[in-house]
Structure formats: structure tokens, C-alpha cells
Amino acid sequence: MNRRTFLKAGVATLALAAALPALADPMTDAKAVVEKYATKVDKWDGPTTGPKAQTGKNIVILVGDMKNGGQLGVVNGIQEAATAIGWTVTVLDGAGSIDARTAAFGQAMALSPNGIIINGFDAVEQAPAMEQAKAAKIPMVSWHASSAVGPVPEVGVFANVTTDAMEVSKAAANYAYVDAGGKPGVIIFTDSTYAIAIAKADRMKEEIEKLGGTVLEYVDTPIAETSQRMPQLTVALLQKYGAAWTHSLAINDLYFDFMGPALSGAGIPGDGAPINVAAGDGSESAYQRIRAKQYQKVTVAEPLNLQGWQLVDELNRAFAGEGWSGYVSPLHVVTSDNVEFDGGPKNTFDPDNGYRDAYKKVWGV
């Protein structure tokens, strides 16, 4: 090969290399995901137009379990927004069991409300009652009743309000990957009672394995029974996996409410492994653990109070005969580094983006 031919070949090789995409760096990509969701949320990106307040409505909130901090946070937001828009609200507690939720739904139907807000249980579980509500032409909106965001027409839900559950799961998994230096050994906690919980857990498993981490075990245990099950389960998992268990990923903070004593009893310090990371919802107790660095390092929080306002806004749109807003609320990776902003001093993710005034302006109140 002469010098000219050699140089031409070299130029061609460089051109080909420039045209090819750069090799993916899992750690760089994972850090970017975490950083994206760990920043301040100070700009309103929700609806600025919509129907005026449909006043004088009687609303029933059906709550899956009032002991669940996430669901309670949404109730508080609904009640705050309902006062602003001029509605009367009745809260019925499903007390963490299918039978109690079925009874609560029956009680709701007996009250003949103008609208129903389903908060924190799977819509399919209550399919017969929801068919009755549809037949009675009672508008329904929901929080976490499905993994879908927005309308769920097959069960009569005008709009299901949630953050992007798959992004919540992705953010949690990426944090665990980064925190473990690219070598996480993960146990995932979920509850097959809820379709959204299984979808979130599956997404975390997929993400960890795609990044090159290891899922040691996929634990299906009822979220309503965490106080009874988690202490003994934690001890058993520590005995089984030992130091290989670097991180826990759970679909809700509630799993970590009852792990601390077992971890402490095993001689594990509050900031030691396994590191607990929750893919929802940003409960008060989670904020307190993160701030104190006691047996939880991260929660991927939802704006529970804001979502309560959104539920009222979506139901108002249903009453007015308009379509759902299309708004998907933001999520937030909460760590000890950023726990004090966007509502952190109140132990909740409450974006400082003026959402209350924005909704009041839409409603004309």
C-alpha cells in the first residue's frame, strides 16, 4: 500500500468512527437520570385553562388505607382544593383490605354523590361496584388505580392521576446502581394486590439488570401487612444474603417503616447496607428517615398535595363535560442533600411552583 492509499484508508476509518454513536456509559447515564429528578421544581407546567368551578358538588373519597402516608397526603390535598372550589367531601376508609374497600364503595353508592375519587387501590379489584357507578353516570377520577396516566375508560375512570410510574421506578433503580458503584445486589419489595405495584417492581428489576446489577430476590408481600411481616422477613433476608444485599428497592416507603429495628438488631448502622430506596410515595416518615440518615437513603416522591388538587381539577372537568387536562405531575428524587427544599421542612414533596394559585385562577375562585 502506497502512502496516498494509506492516508485515504486512514481518513475513511476516521470518518466511519465519527459516524458511529459513542458507546453507552451506564454509570454516566444513570447519574444523569438521578440528577434530572433531584433538582428543584419551581416552575408550573400544568394547565392554565379549563372550566370554571362547578360549585356545590358532594364528593366521596374512597381511600385504600388511611394508614398509608401517600394516600393520606392525597386526601389532604383533595380536602384543601375542595374547600377552594366549594365542594363538600366525605372520606371513607378501606382500612387496607379488599372486604373493607368493597364495603366502603357500597357505602359511597348509598350516598348518591355527584362524583367519586378513588384513592390508592386497584380499579379492577372493585370492577362490579365501578360498573354500578358508571351505570349511575357518577364521574370517577382516581389516584394510583392503574399504571396508566389519564383516562381508563374500561373501568369508567375519567382520569387516573399519578406521576409516570415507570420513570419513578427507573429513577429509584438508577440511584441504587450509582450508589453501589455499579455493582448493586438488590432485593425488590412489591405487592401483587396492585397492578401498578407489579408494573413498578418489574420496571425496577428490568432497569437494574439492564445496567448490569443483580436482583437477588423479588419479594411479594402485602403492603397492608408490612408491620407484621417486615421485621421477621428482614432478619430472614439478612441471614440468606448477608453482605451481597447492598440495596432494597420498594414500591412504597411503607416497607421501610418497619425494617429499622431488625437492621439495628443485626448491628447495621442507620447509614449502612442494605441501603433502602423507595419508588414512591414520599411519606412523612420517609422524609424523617432520610433527614436523620436512619435506614432510608432515598424516596422518589410524588407531589401528593398537588395531586389532590389535580384530582379535584380533573373531576371539575368531568362535571363540565370537558376532556382531561393531560397533565402528568412531576416526581422528585429526595436525598439528604436536597431534603430541605420543595416542601421538605414539612416532610413532603410540595413543589414551590404556585400550583394552588394556578388552579384557583383556572377555576375563577
Side-chain angles (χ1 to χ4, degrees), residues 73 76 179:
N76 292 338
D179 194 58

Side-chain angles (χ1 to χ4, degrees), residues 28-327:
T28 299
D29 291 347
K31 287 180 178 177
V33 169
V34 173
E35 179 62 25
K36 175 182 177 182
Y37 293 122
T39 55
K40 289 185 177 181
V41 182
D42 55 6
K43 292 180 176 59
W44 175 242
D45 61 351
T48 56
T49 61
K52 298 305 177 185
Q54 310 292 299
T55 57
K57 302 296 184 181
N58 293 304
I59 307 302
V60 170
I61 310 172
L62 291 169
V63 188
D65 187 352
M66 287 288 282
K67 295 187 299 295
N68 183 302
Q71 294 172 25
L72 180 59
V74 173
V75 169
N76 292 338
I78 294 169
Q79 291 175 320
E80 190 180 89
T83 298
I85 204 171
W87 293 354
T88 301
V89 172
T90 301
V91 180
L92 301 177
D93 185 6
S97 75
I98 294 175
D99 288 346
R101 288 192 289 269
T102 301
F105 215 131
Q107 187 179 350
M109 292 300 295
L111 293 172
S112 299
N114 299 117
I116 293 174
I117 300 177
I118 296 167
N119 176 5
F121 60 86
D122 195 289
V124 175
E125 173 196 292
Q126 297 295 327
M130 295 189 74
E131 282 297 326
Q132 292 179 21
K134 281 173 62 178
K137 295 185 172 15
I138 299 173
M140 292 180 286
V141 296
S142 64
W143 183 80
H144 284 207
S146 168
S147 58
V149 182
V152 192
E154 60 270 24
V155 291
V157 170
F158 175 80
N160 181 56
V161 170
T162 177
T163 54
D164 185 335
M166 298 304 96
E167 282 297 296
V168 170
S169 298
K170 180 179 179 179
N174 276 261
Y175 186 93
Y177 177 80
V178 172
D179 194 58
K183 296 180 180 179
V186 171
I187 295 178
I188 297 173
F189 296 92
T190 191
D191 181 353
S192 60
T193 306
Y194 305 94
I196 191 171
I198 291 298
K200 287 170 71 174
D202 287 348
R203 183 69 179 89
M204 287 190 284
K205 181 176 186 293
E206 174 191 338
E207 190 71 11
I208 287 290
E209 292 177 342
K210 183 186 79 173
L211 289 166
T214 301
V215 175
L216 301 172
E217 193 163 330
Y218 188 101
V219 179
D220 180 6
T221 187
I223 198 167
E225 299 175 16
T226 50
S227 61
Q228 296 87 23
R229 292 178 177 238
M230 287 306 295
Q232 184 176 352
L233 183 56
T234 301
V235 171
L237 291 169
L238 284 170
Q239 292 172 344
K240 184 175 181 180
Y241 294 108
W245 180 14
T246 70
H247 287 74
S248 309
L249 288 172
I251 55 91
N252 191 283
D253 295 302
L254 201 60
Y255 286 98
F256 303 143
D257 283 359
F258 306 100
M259 286 183 72
L263 294 172
S264 178
I268 297 170
D271 58 354
I275 301 297
N276 292 331
V277 178
D281 299 312
S283 68
E284 180 175 348
S285 58
Y287 267 78
Q288 291 171 341
R289 284 191 294 271
I290 291 167
R291 182 179 287 107
K293 298 182 180 179
Q294 290 293 305
Y295 303 111
Q296 186 167 351
K297 197 166 186 179
V298 169
T299 184
V300 184
E302 298 197 57
L304 304 172
N305 202 80
L306 184 160
Q307 289 173 326
W309 281 73
Q310 185 185 352
L311 285 161
V312 169
D313 181 65
E314 301 295 357
L315 195 53
N316 192 61
R317 291 168 189 270
F319 290 144
E322 297 194 11
W324 85 292
S325 71
Y327 179 52

